[in-house]
């Protein structure tokens, strides 16, 4: 994933992908920035209105149940799992020991060492040492480090040398009375054996949280030892301790602690509450393992002489015995153990009834790296790996890779039907050349497999257009689109897929979300989903992203499911997604709703200057009205007193008659000037890049830091330029091209604002323009039919302050039961589900006024699913 239509990520140590919570002021001011619909007339009528009531209504909704709309595939909605926000280790993967194989490294994170999460301990006056080594005594070639403890054999009773593990986040999570399965691989050079005492203690090390487990290590060959600990108390801050007694040298590796109660009770299993929340969505597919993990880093294998740690996710690394799997540097700034690997992903998909949809590297990096690997032999190897993956998933037990699957405990094939190559590549021609090689090889050997292409990281732009052109010309069956935009964008673009070519490639909407986790976001997403369903003949698969986030380690927000060591909860978007995913229906029923009356206000606001990881100088800022009147002028001869630091970042000062931002590390350094009420004006400025990664940002239509437009010249690592609109802190791109910015050159920038139209000039030449006149429609609907129950499912989103009193016409020949079943999500648009409170939860009720035509009032800020039982066949009049 990437931050589509927004500032693109540079990885965990570069630009953050975290979207901060919106201020109330930002939300309120958004209305002043954008063309918003007028609310429907508020009604004091109760939600239940008599079918005989013929009073005027605010909306009308007309169905034609006798007509046939698009069929909706069982796989329409699914989930996408990427190891971001510690979603795997310390998350869905139930392992409680952090850095269990001592493989953490500075390649993963600058702060990491092989002893991260481990603390050496000594008891009873014992002497000795505990250190991580990488030598020929290792457990496995690709699990290269282990802990060596040298024991002095001194001290009194209970003397020993050991280590304590702090677990994930706050500690090892325990529940009173539950059992935990411990295992360790160990060897000793002491002929009589080495005693190990395994315990669970509180963070201070003073209170035992379980009776100790005693193990004797025998022999100088690696052997796995196991046992069970039962928690005496509930804790989220526990510590696992392993203490060795006696003398000599003992070696430990793969120190592990799993709750006995995992999802489906599987060993090496999944955290039960998280897996159950995913299963409750009843997803039609599971896309895995990424995301940026797939198309970043080196594409070399984990092998001598380099033992590359920063490499793309390669499936063969992740199968087989867990103690033989290597580790890898996770793109998001931490370590991933590969304990949760391809076998476990396939197994999880099967357990939850989802179609597996793996993504393999295309040998073109994305996510801000943007490099194409030109190595024919390496390409051939990855293509063969992909063919081997299909055999691993589907091959008979008599085949080499099908045999490996069977050896892992699953002789039955997993039934792979779809496979994606690449993720959000920003080099369209280089990507498609390699994609074509993968596709040709897969389709030749396995014509039953659908090979999925992609359209880059955004919903529009040069990369998007070029990749769609290439996919369309090549007859690719399914194209993966990704975008993350403001709620406003989702309300404005419900009809996006209405105009897609019905004969062209189908759409896999593999990643999308509006940028925050409030109920207003869920409402916008739900409104958009009605458009996805209406176009089910084009949009075949869709998945919100990301899926999981641990509260103490967030690289990206929003997220569907949140968790900590104690509990987990669904976001407001989770509740909306669940409502759609569990009430899909089999076929769309054609329907039409009246629109919301709307007005479009001119773009208005102050002006601003900003930088992003760049030092720039600005001079001669002027703002003029269309008739030539000067509204504002500043040549900085009198200082910078007319400018207000809006973002509070950067080092701004007047130097040599120019306004200079000198900090090349500061991001989003916006300063503003002028009147927020300005409309119809020209802003002109001289801008010079001095140093840094990017160019400069000229803002207009500024209401505040979260609501404005800016011309981003030399953005995205100085690879392109675009105008971005920010609403409530979330950005979307209005127009873009490949312009880059030179250092030391003075540019003449002019922006002409007229009503909702903007024209942009660079050095006197027209650069581009756009008209921002889309209307955000808050009242959206779609109707589907559930063939199994004989019900019409009327799905209505009312994302406005006013109730929507609606006349619903099912057709004169439609015979229906008088009572409908309702499920409603409704609440304050600023509400957010947290561990302490989940105000947005489904409410189930009935409505007893259904007829062939009736009136129902949909509450403000609500998502309503109305199931109406039809009686007998439907006929045209």
């Amino acid at each position: 994933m990437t931050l589509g239509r927004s500032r693109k990520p540079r990885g965990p140590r570069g630009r953050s992908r975290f979207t901060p919570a919106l201020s109330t002021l930002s939300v309120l001011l958004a209305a002043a920035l954008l063309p918003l619909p007028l609310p429907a007339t508020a009604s004091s009528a109760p939600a239940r209105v008599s079918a005989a009531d013929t009073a005027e209504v605010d909306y009308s909704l007309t169905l034609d149940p006798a007509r046939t709309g698009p069929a909706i595939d069982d796989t329409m909605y699914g989930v996408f799992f990427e190891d971001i926000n510690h979603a795997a280790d310390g998350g869905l993967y139930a392992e409680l020991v952090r850095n269990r194989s001592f493989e953490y490294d500075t390649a993963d994170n600058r702060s990491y060492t092989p002893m991260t999460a481990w603390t050496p301990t000594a008891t009873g006056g014992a002497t000795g040492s505990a250190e991580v080594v990488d030598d020929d005594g290792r457990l496995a070639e690709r699990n290269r480090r282990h802990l060596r403890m040298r024991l002095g054999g001194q001290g009194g009773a209970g003397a020993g040398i050991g280590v304590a593990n702090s677990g994930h986040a706050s500690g090892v999570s325990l529940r009173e009375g539950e059992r935990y399965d411990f295992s360790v691989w160990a060897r000793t050079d002491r002929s009589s054996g080495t005693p190990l005492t395994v315990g669970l203690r509180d963070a201070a090390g003073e209170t035992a949280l379980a009776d100790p487990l005693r193990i004797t290590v025998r022999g100088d060959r690696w052997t796995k030892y196991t046992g069970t600990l039962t928690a005496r108390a509930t804790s989220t801050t526990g510590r696992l301790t392993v203490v060795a007694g006696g003398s000599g040298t003992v070696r430990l590796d793969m120190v592990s602690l799993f709750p006995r109660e995992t999802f489906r009770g599987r060993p090496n299993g999944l955290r039960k509450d998280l897996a159950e929340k995913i299963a409750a969505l009843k997803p039609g597919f599971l896309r895995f393992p990424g995301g940026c993990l797939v198309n970043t880093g080196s594409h070399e294998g984990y092998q001598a002489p380099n033992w590359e740690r920063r490499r793309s996710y390669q499936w063969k690394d992740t199968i087989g015995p867990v103690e033989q799997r290597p580790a890898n540097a996770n793109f998001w700034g931490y370590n991933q153990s590969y304990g949760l690997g391809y076998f476990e992903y396939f197994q999880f998909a099967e357990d939850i009834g989802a179609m597996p949809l793996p993504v393999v590297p295309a040998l073109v990096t994305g996510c801000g790296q943007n490099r194409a690997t030109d190595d024919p032999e390496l390409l051939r190897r990855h293509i063969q790996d992909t063919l081997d993956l299909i055999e691993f998933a589907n091959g008979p037990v008599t085949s080499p890779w099908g045999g490996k699957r069977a050896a892992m405990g699953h002789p039955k094939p997993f039934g792979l039907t779809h496979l994606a190559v690449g993720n959000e590549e920003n080099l369209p021609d280089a990507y498609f050349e390699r994609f074509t090689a993968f596709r040709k090889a897969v389709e030749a050997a396995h014509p039953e497999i659908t090979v999925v292409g992609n359209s880059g990281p955004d919903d529009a732009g040069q990369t998007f257009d070029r990749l769609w052109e290439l996919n369309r010309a090549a007859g690719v069956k399914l194209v993966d689109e990704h975008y993350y935009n403001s709620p406003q964008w989702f309300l404005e673009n419900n009809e996006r897929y209405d105009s897609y070519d019905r004969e062209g490639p189908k759409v896999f909407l593999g990643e999308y979300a509006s940028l925050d986790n409030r109920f207003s976001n869920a409402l916008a997403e739900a409104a958009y989903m009605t458009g996805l369903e209406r176009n089910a003949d084009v949009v075949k698969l869709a998945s919100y992203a990301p899926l999981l986030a641990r509260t103490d380690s967030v690289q990206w927000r929003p997220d569907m499911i949140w968790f900590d060591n104690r509990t987990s909860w669904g976001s407001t978007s989770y509740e909306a997604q669940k409502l759609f995913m569990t009430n899909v229906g089999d076929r769309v029923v054609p329907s039409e709703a009246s629109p919301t009356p709307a007005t479009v206000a001119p773009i208005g606001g102050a002006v601003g200057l900003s930088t992003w990881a760049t030092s720039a100088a600005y001079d001669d800022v002027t703002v003029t009205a269309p008739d030539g009147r000067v509204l504002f002028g500043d040549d900085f001869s009198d200082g910078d007193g007319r400018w207000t630091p809006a973002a509070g970042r950067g080092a701004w000062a007047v130097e040599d008659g120019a306004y200079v931002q000198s900090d090349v590390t500061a991001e989003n350094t916006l300063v503003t000037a002028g009147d927020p009420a300005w409309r119809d004006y020209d802003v002109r400025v001289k801008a010079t890049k001095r140093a840094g990664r990017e160019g400069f940002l000229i803002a207009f239509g500024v209401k505040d830091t979260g609501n404005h437009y800016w011309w981003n010249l030399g953005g995205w690592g100085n690879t392109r330029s675009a105008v971005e609109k920010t609403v409530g802190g979330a950005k979307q791109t209005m127009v873009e091209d490949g312009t880059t910015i030179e250092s030391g050159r003075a540019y003449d920038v002019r922006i002409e604002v007229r009503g909702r139209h903007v024209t942009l000039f660079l050095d006197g030449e027209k650069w581009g323009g756009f008209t921002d006149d889309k209307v955000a429609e808050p009242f959206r609907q779609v109707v589907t039919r559930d063939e199994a129950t004989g019900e019409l499912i009327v799905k209505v989103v009312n994302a406005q302050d006013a109730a929507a009193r609606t006349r619903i016409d099912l057709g004169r020949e439609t015979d229906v039961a008088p009572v409908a079943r309702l499920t409603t999500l409704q609440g304050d648009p600023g509400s957010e589900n947290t561990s302490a409170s989940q105000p947005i939860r489904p409410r189930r009720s009935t409505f007893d006024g259904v007829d062939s035509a009736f009136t129902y009032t949909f509450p403000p800020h609500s998502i309503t699913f109305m199931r109406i039982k039809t009686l007998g066949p439907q006929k045209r009049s």
Side-chain angles (χ1 to χ4, degrees):
M1 73 161 46
T2 63
L3 182 50
R5 295 217 124 176
S6 184
R7 308 285 303 182
K8 297 304 180 290
R10 301 315 194 253
R13 298 186 187 92
R15 183 164 298 157
S16 171
R17 291 173 58 165
F18 177 77
T19 300
L22 308 183
S23 69
T24 302
L25 179 61
S26 295
V27 174
L28 292 174
L29 285 173
L33 179 69
L34 300 169
L36 293 176
L38 292 173
T41 303
S43 171
S44 60
R48 291 178 178 167
V49 181
S50 168
D53 187 350
T54 58
E56 183 179 348
V57 295
D58 302 314
Y59 289 93
S60 64
L61 172 55
T62 304
L63 282 65
D64 190 349
R67 286 178 54 206
T68 299
I72 306 176
D73 296 345
D74 291 340
T75 52
M76 173 72 181
Y77 295 120
V79 292
F80 163 49
F81 181 90
E82 178 180 6
D83 188 1
I84 184 174
N85 310 315
H86 283 273
D89 296 324
L92 184 62
Y93 186 49
E95 173 66 76
L96 296 173
V97 177
R98 186 179 182 214
N99 191 19
R100 65 182 178 185
S101 60
F102 308 97
E103 295 292 333
Y104 275 34
D105 191 272
T106 54
D108 312 325
N109 187 292
R110 292 178 193 171
S111 67
Y112 285 1
T113 74
M115 283 294 284
T116 291
W118 293 98
T119 303
T121 62
T123 62
T127 61
S129 63
E131 61 178 338
V132 176
V133 295
D134 180 355
D135 60 20
D136 292 340
R138 66 179 60 89
L139 171 61
E141 182 185 24
R142 283 148 55 89
N143 187 339
R144 299 187 61 76
R145 295 173 182 157
H146 63 276
L147 181 70
R148 182 179 64 197
M149 293 194 293
R150 288 178 170 156
L151 312 175
Q154 299 176 358
I161 297 296
V163 287
N165 187 269
S166 59
H168 297 281
S170 59
V172 176
S173 184
L174 306 168
R175 292 185 185 275
E176 183 178 2
E178 292 193 5
R179 293 181 294 171
Y180 297 85
D181 292 328
F182 171 83
S183 65
V184 63
W185 287 78
R187 59 190 293 184
T188 179
D189 65 0
R190 187 168 177 81
S191 59
S192 60
T194 297
L196 296 182
T197 301
V198 181
L200 291 168
R201 308 193 73 82
D202 65 358
E206 298 175 354
T207 303
L209 301 177
D211 292 334
L213 172 66
R214 304 191 188 281
I215 295 170
T216 301
V217 178
R218 300 188 184 279
D220 204 7
R221 298 179 61 183
W222 286 105
T223 304
K224 185 177 183 180
Y225 297 88
T226 63
T228 300
L229 294 156
T230 301
R232 293 181 186 170
T234 295
S235 176
T236 58
T237 60
R239 301 291 186 266
L240 175 72
T241 60
V242 183
V243 178
S247 60
T249 299
V250 63
R251 301 169 186 262
L252 307 179
D253 206 350
M254 294 298 290
V255 184
S256 174
L257 187 71
F258 268 87
R260 175 70 58 85
E261 192 175 357
T262 59
F263 184 65
R264 297 290 179 95
R266 297 193 183 281
N268 195 50
L270 306 180
R271 178 169 154 172
K272 187 177 180 182
D273 63 324
L274 293 179
E276 286 178 342
K277 281 184 171 58
I278 298 169
L281 295 168
K282 300 189 183 303
F285 66 88
L286 170 65
R287 175 178 177 245
F288 64 90
C292 289
L293 307 186
V294 169
N295 71 339
T296 55
S298 167
H299 300 298
E300 299 290 344
Y302 190 60
Q303 58 195 23
N306 297 323
W307 301 103
E308 177 61 59
R309 286 291 292 263
R310 293 192 179 105
R311 62 192 189 282
S312 56
Y313 195 108
Q314 300 174 38
W315 79 271
K316 287 182 179 178
D317 288 346
T318 75
I319 66 166
V322 291
E323 69 273 8
Q324 295 179 15
R325 302 179 192 179
N328 198 16
N330 183 299
F331 172 79
W332 297 110
Y334 51 91
N335 175 278
Q336 55 188 151
S337 71
Y338 286 153
L340 176 57
Y342 256 73
F343 179 82
E344 290 77 22
Y345 284 125
F346 277 124
Q347 192 171 62
F348 183 45
E350 182 179 74
D351 285 344
I352 62 178
M355 176 185 78
L357 204 166
V359 186
V360 299
L363 273 69
V364 177
T365 58
C367 301
Q369 296 183 355
N370 300 336
R371 294 190 301 270
T373 300
D374 188 14
D375 185 334
E377 186 56 39
L378 188 60
L379 178 62
R380 281 192 289 272
R381 193 266 284 176
H382 276 268
I383 290 173
Q384 185 58 53
D385 283 354
T386 302
L387 297 174
D388 293 343
L389 171 61
I390 297 169
E391 183 180 297
F392 176 77
N394 294 350
V397 297
T398 54
S399 67
W401 290 99
K404 290 183 183 294
R405 180 195 68 241
M408 294 184 71
H410 202 286
K412 180 182 176 182
F414 283 116
L416 178 67
T417 60
H418 290 65
L419 183 145
V421 177
N423 170 76
E424 298 184 359
E425 284 72 24
N426 249 323
L427 303 174
D429 290 279
Y431 160 73
F432 206 78
E433 178 185 356
R434 288 152 182 79
F435 169 82
T436 300
F438 277 89
R439 182 184 175 213
K440 180 179 178 181
V442 170
E443 291 184 347
H446 299 281
E448 74 282 5
I449 299 294
T450 297
V451 183
V452 182
N454 76 69
S455 61
D458 288 334
D459 60 87
Q462 293 175 315
T463 295
F464 178 89
D465 292 341
R466 178 59 176 159
L467 279 171
W468 259 106
E469 177 187 1
L470 293 167
N471 279 289
R472 189 178 296 109
V476 173
K477 294 180 180 178
L478 196 61
V479 177
D480 189 6
E481 293 190 355
H482 295 180
Y483 39 84
Y484 298 87
N485 287 322
S486 68
Q488 185 83 6
W489 184 94
F490 284 94
L491 292 174
E492 291 174 350
N493 285 275
N494 179 272
E495 298 174 353
R496 173 183 176 86
Y497 295 108
D498 290 5
S499 60
Y500 271 50
D501 181 5
R502 266 48 200 169
E503 304 303 319
K506 304 305 180 184
V507 173
F508 170 24
L509 182 48
E511 298 183 30
Y512 74 99
S514 72
L515 291 168
D516 206 353
N517 261 152
R518 300 173 186 271
F519 189 45
S520 56
N521 299 89
L523 287 165
E525 291 152 4
Y528 192 72
M529 293 170 80
T530 66
L532 301 183
E533 290 193 9
R534 187 176 64 250
N535 289 284
D537 56 331
V538 169
V539 183
K540 308 306 288 184
L541 307 168
S543 50
Y544 178 102
L547 181 61
L548 295 172
R550 199 177 76 194
T551 54
D552 74 308
S553 180
V554 181
Q555 289 84 40
W556 171 263
R557 177 187 174 97
D559 301 285
M560 189 189 290
I561 299 170
W562 290 81
F563 65 94
D564 55 26
N565 275 10
R566 180 181 60 86
T567 188
S568 59
W569 60 97
S571 67
T572 64
S573 293
Y574 173 86
E575 297 297 348
Q577 291 286 327
K578 185 178 179 182
L579 193 54
F580 274 85
M581 293 170 76
T582 57
N583 293 276
V584 181
D586 300 290
R587 187 173 289 277
V588 175
V589 176
S591 62
E592 184 176 349
S594 56
T596 305
T599 187
V600 177
I603 293 173
V607 298
L609 309 170
S610 189
T611 60
W612 205 292
T614 300
S615 173
Y618 299 98
D619 203 356
D620 296 333
V621 181
T622 59
V623 181
T624 57
D627 61 6
R629 287 181 299 111
V630 176
L631 304 177
F632 177 87
D634 199 344
D635 63 3
F636 302 102
S637 58
D638 294 326
D640 61 359
R642 302 175 71 184
W643 294 84
T644 300
R649 305 183 186 95
W652 288 95
V654 175
E655 299 179 12
D656 300 323
Y659 199 22
V660 177
Q661 198 293 111
S662 58
D663 186 347
V664 296
T665 65
E667 299 178 347
N668 191 12
T669 64
L670 183 66
V671 293
T672 64
D675 187 346
W678 278 344
R679 296 179 177 181
D680 291 345
Y681 58 77
D682 292 4
V683 56
R684 192 164 190 165
V685 60
K686 290 180 181 178
T688 306
K689 173 182 176 178
R690 303 206 315 178
R693 297 201 306 260
E694 305 208 346
F696 27 81
L697 298 142
I698 313 299
F700 58 98
V702 178
K703 299 301 182 184
D704 64 9
T705 57
N707 298 279
H708 57 73
Y709 300 79
W710 66 25
W711 190 2
N712 182 355
L713 285 155
W716 296 270
N718 202 18
T719 60
R720 57 193 177 99
S721 298
V723 175
E724 296 176 285
K725 178 173 75 173
T726 300
V727 184
K731 298 183 181 69
Q732 65 189 74
T733 299
M734 307 306 297
V735 62
E736 67 169 295
D737 76 357
T739 300
T740 58
I741 296 300
E742 301 174 19
S743 296
R745 174 184 166 187
Y747 290 84
D748 180 30
V749 180
R750 181 162 70 92
I751 302 168
E752 180 183 280
V753 181
R754 298 290 185 273
R756 300 298 303 179
H757 186 75
V758 177
T759 310
L760 305 109
F761 300 86
L762 190 62
D763 289 335
E765 298 291 330
K766 182 178 177 179
W767 176 87
F770 65 91
T771 301
D772 185 14
D773 59 359
K774 285 188 175 180
V775 174
E777 171 60 73
F779 185 84
R780 292 292 188 181
Q781 52 76 35
V782 70
V783 182
T784 63
R785 185 187 300 280
D786 187 329
E787 301 290 357
T789 65
E791 291 173 308
L792 297 173
I793 312 174
V794 180
K795 313 174 189 185
V796 174
V797 180
N798 182 24
Q800 61 188 331
D801 294 335
R805 190 162 171 259
T806 306
R807 178 78 170 180
I808 302 174
D809 188 347
L810 303 178
R812 285 177 295 170
E813 300 300 320
T814 304
D815 190 12
V816 293
V819 179
R821 295 188 292 139
L822 275 69
T823 306
T824 305
L825 294 176
Q826 197 269 332
D828 189 306
S831 293
E832 186 171 358
N833 286 354
T834 67
S835 60
S837 173
Q838 292 94 49
I840 305 302
R841 302 291 288 271
R843 184 179 71 250
R844 291 173 177 82
S845 61
T846 59
F847 175 65
D848 58 7
V850 178
D851 205 337
S852 59
F854 65 100
T855 299
Y856 182 82
T857 299
F858 296 95
H861 307 300
S862 68
I863 305 168
T864 304
F865 277 43
M866 178 183 290
R867 283 183 167 263
I868 301 172
K869 180 75 171 179
T870 58
L871 305 174
Q874 307 304 309
K875 300 179 181 179
R876 285 191 180 276
S877 57

